[in-house]
Amino acid sequence: MNGLRIDSYEKVWMLASGVLLAVFLVAVAASVFQGFSLPGDEPRLDPTRTMVDPPFAQPAVVERAPGRYDAYVRVQIWAFVPNEIKVPAGSSVTFYLTSPDVQHGFMIERTNVNVMVLPGQVSKISARFDKPGEYLFVCHEYCGIGHHLMSGKVIVTPKS
Amino acid sequence: MEEPHPKPTGTIAVLIVYAALSLALWGSVYLTLLFRGSTQ
Amino acid sequence: MEENAFRLEEKLTAWQIGIALGALFLGTWFGPLQVLEHAGLDLYGKLAPGIQSYYQGLSLHGVLNALVYTTFFISGFLTFTTVHSLQMKLRFPVVNVTGFLVMALGLVMAAIPLLLNQATVLYTFYPPLQASAFFYIGLTLVVVGSWIEAVGLFFTLAAWRKTHPQERTPFIAFGSVLTMAMWLIASLGLAAEMLFLLIPWSLGWVKGTDPLLGRTLFWFTGHPIVYFWLLPVYVSWYGMLPKQAGGKLFSDPLARLAFWLFLVLSIPVGLHHQFADPGIAPLWKGLHTILTFGVAFPSFMTAFTVIASLELGGRARGGTGLFGWIAKLPWSDPSFAAQALAMLIFAFGGIGGIINASYNMDLVVHNTLWIVGHFHLTVGAAVALSFIGITYWLVPHLTGKDLWSARAARVQVWSFAAAMTIFSASHHYVGFRYGVPRRTMLGAAPYFAPEWRPWLVVAAVGGILLWASLMLHFVLVIGTVFGSRKSAARVEMPVAEPLRASAETPAWLDTWVPWLVAAIALIVLSYGPPLAHMIATADLSSIGMRVW
């Protein structure tokens, strides 16, 4: 750098903070390769037909293979449809969400399922439910006066 | 000419504490992410 | 220069700071209402029909505190700093005054629907929730007015440079004008959202809109707006505070380099607010993550340079050993104490910010109360508490009166810092541990879990103490303005001297074009492709909904 005199202590700190940031980035990259991914770019829907076109016109939980489920959830003013998703312990569930009206959120406690739900877009994210119990999910994006009423649960039944 | 001045040893000491704290807090959220399970 | 050389400029400053404080005063009242509601005490019924819901209150709180207080304070402050630092009056005062009047008109226009419950869309106003067209037009005018004021400052700096051809721009003016330049580029996203989507749609000229495109244009501006808030604080921390601490600016060139890096790196990062969004390819979210880590770097630089500058002051005042200099700093000066505490609190806001920006780690905390804790540390403390510290010399300067009570000001500053710590820590914890959602009338939520309550009660204590501390701040300001104790000598804007004269700072750190080109190039690279794709596939069919 032309004519830029930097104190030696400041140089050390600039290097150390750069290394710290690099370490964080590498750790993040490693986790991405281990399957900790963000919702991606799914094909768009026509938001005006969400209530009439499959799969969101009749949103349901579908078993694709033993222990592997696809859960279609329509997130609307002010309810999740369906608001109960029942699976046996050890299941992997892939959630597909959209909205027919305004922006919403979908977050399942004690998991990394945490997505925005937008009209015309499909939010896709998965989770594995090993422990039996009830897992609350809520809407966490303001969507009108009934926003705080929106919740549901994933019910994980013990393996029989 | 730069004015003569004491070396910023206190600053480095403060920043070492800060870097350690950052690593600890960042790490705890990272471990929580891992603990809560893969999303694929 | 004689006493009243900057009479017009200081009047313009005073008006804007006055409006800013008025907005903060109104916005602050909703804080206790919100924390009390979360803790189980709903007082909103008592406010009807003036305020119709928690969410209307929250919209007012966000718009008044995060948009109005900040924008008006900054416009006022940077007008003041630029002319005083350059020792030069505004080049075309009519431009700056016009800008201010446009901002004021916009404020009134946006305030009316907000108060009438026709803009209960929170300060992010995501479509397809639809507010009154006047809300969007009003906010747009505030932004456009700030551009006009920015242009007025650009003309002023250009005139100074013409008459001082070989000199380095004085640091305070440099940082001030750079802030406005960065803001002008940054606000283009919001302006596009308003002009092409929200205004035609809310006026009924276009039937529907595309929510993802709206969000993306918003966050194009929504991230750099935090640097629009923060850089004026850095102007004070680098350019003024070392003088107040009895020290010197540790490095003039690195201070300037940090500002240039903010110009280049503040904007191409907005997708980190959309990590949880559908419809955006991971590649672009990943690129914005790397660039966000890039913009963390000038803040790390700032930490060193500013702390080292203060250390020089502490040691000059007799401090010895590794930490003894800290106690020797001028803690009795409320302006210093506020900003030093703001710095300490900001350290935690910064760590939280890096966590939030770490791509998939956002899944742990997104849209929980952790985020509320985070931005109260950053804009609520680092920025607001520093602005409070600045008013404790600026208001005496503008009025020619002594600060009403330095002792009360110290109480105000320390109580603010303590309250913010309590408020923010509890929010971080309850969001991280339990995933408690933000933007939610929690007390009325059927899913409210008993484990949350003790933490929300602690948060309420913090929130109420914050309100009380701010009320004391307003008492101090009003007491000073209407007080009778004229200052013996007018308090002047503190100006820090660097260890090495700025004349020795290389010219490439005072040359605009290459940095502006770099800023625009990075924006094109990081936003061009995803925005182009979004615009090409845009589906303007989401109709507006008013469901509050």
Side-chain angles (χ1 to χ4, degrees), chain A residues 62-94:
Chain A
V62 179
E63 186 170 7
R64 297 288 179 214
R68 302 195 75 84
Y69 297 83
D70 285 347
Y72 293 89
V73 183
R74 193 177 65 224
V75 188
Q76 59 195 45
I77 290 167
W78 289 292
F80 294 96
V81 182
N83 64 5
E84 266 184 27
I85 294 166
K86 212 174 209 168
V87 292
S91 305
S92 278
V93 183
T94 299

Side-chain angles (χ1 to χ4, degrees), chain A residues 9 24 27 35-37 112 126, chain B residues 7 12 26 30 33 37-40:
Chain A
Y9 282 74
F24 290 161
F36 291 83
S37 49
N112 288 319
S126 306
Chain B
K7 291 256 141 226
I12 283 287
W26 193 96
Y30 183 72
L33 173 73
S38 148
T39 55
Q40 265 178 7

Side-chain angles (χ1 to χ4, degrees), chain A residues 4-6 10 14, chain C residues 169-172 174-176 178-179 231 234-240 242 248-263 297-299 301-306 309 496-500 502 505-506 508-510 515:
Chain A
L4 194 60
R5 273 169 287 226
I6 305 179
E10 182 138 31
M14 284 164 74
Chain C
T169 310
F171 176 78
I172 288 171
F174 158 73
S176 304
L178 186 145
T179 301
L231 291 185
Y234 283 5
V235 167
S236 176
W237 290 2
Y238 276 115
M240 302 178 192
K248 302 238 161 144
L249 173 57
F250 193 79
S251 170
D252 178 87
L254 285 183
R256 292 172 196 260
L257 179 61
F259 272 78
W260 289 122
L261 290 175
F262 282 117
L263 177 65
F297 190 70
S299 273
M301 285 169 61
T302 298
F304 189 100
T305 306
V306 170
S309 304
E497 276 170 47
L499 279 179
R500 190 187 291 271
S502 64
T505 294
W508 59 269
L509 286 170
D510 208 8
W515 296 103

Side-chain angles (χ1 to χ4, degrees), chain B residues 1-15 17-18 21-23 25-34 36 39, chain C residues 248 250 300 303-304 307-308 311-312 315 322-323 325-326 347-348 350-351 354-355 358 360-361 363-364 370 432-433 499-501 504:
Chain B
M1 263 311 305
E2 183 172 280
E3 212 181 284
H5 59 275
K7 291 256 141 226
T9 51
T11 300
I12 283 287
V14 166
L15 290 174
V17 172
Y18 178 64
L21 218 78
S22 302
L23 200 61
L25 286 167
W26 193 96
S28 83
V29 180
Y30 183 72
L31 290 175
T32 304
L33 173 73
L34 298 185
R36 288 184 184 176
T39 55
Chain C
K248 302 238 161 144
F250 193 79
F300 280 129
F304 189 100
I307 297 173
E311 185 178 355
L312 290 175
R315 292 193 187 282
L322 263 187
F323 299 111
W325 56 275
I326 298 174
F348 291 93
I351 299 174
I354 291 173
I355 289 170
S358 293
N360 49 9
M361 279 168 55
L363 295 176
V364 177
W370 161 290
F432 173 65
R433 175 85 172 72
L499 279 179
R500 190 187 291 271
E504 297 188 49

Side-chain angles (χ1 to χ4, degrees), chain C residues 186-203:
Chain C
S187 51
L188 293 174
L190 183 62
E193 188 196 2
M194 292 293 200
L195 288 171
F196 297 118
L197 293 180
L198 300 180
I199 293 174
W201 174 66
S202 58
L203 285 173

Side-chain angles (χ1 to χ4, degrees), chain A residues 24-118:
Chain A
F24 290 161
L25 276 176
V26 168
V28 165
S31 69
V32 172
F33 286 116
Q34 294 296 313
F36 291 83
S37 49
L38 294 175
D41 192 2
E42 298 298 307
R44 297 188 66 147
L45 301 174
D46 179 345
T48 63
R49 297 190 58 80
T50 303
M51 303 293 279
V52 297
D53 283 348
F56 291 101
Q58 312 276 349
V61 181
V62 179
E63 186 170 7
R64 297 288 179 214
R68 302 195 75 84
Y69 297 83
D70 285 347
Y72 293 89
V73 183
R74 193 177 65 224
V75 188
Q76 59 195 45
I77 290 167
W78 289 292
F80 294 96
V81 182
N83 64 5
E84 266 184 27
I85 294 166
K86 212 174 209 168
V87 292
S91 305
S92 278
V93 183
T94 299
F95 298 89
Y96 295 87
L97 305 119
T98 194
S99 163
D101 42 52
V102 299
Q103 71 279 8
H104 296 277
F106 180 72
M107 182 177 64
I108 310 178
E109 63 171 343
R110 294 177 277 139
T111 70
N112 288 319
V113 175
N114 187 346
V115 297
M116 304 306 290
V117 183
L118 299 178

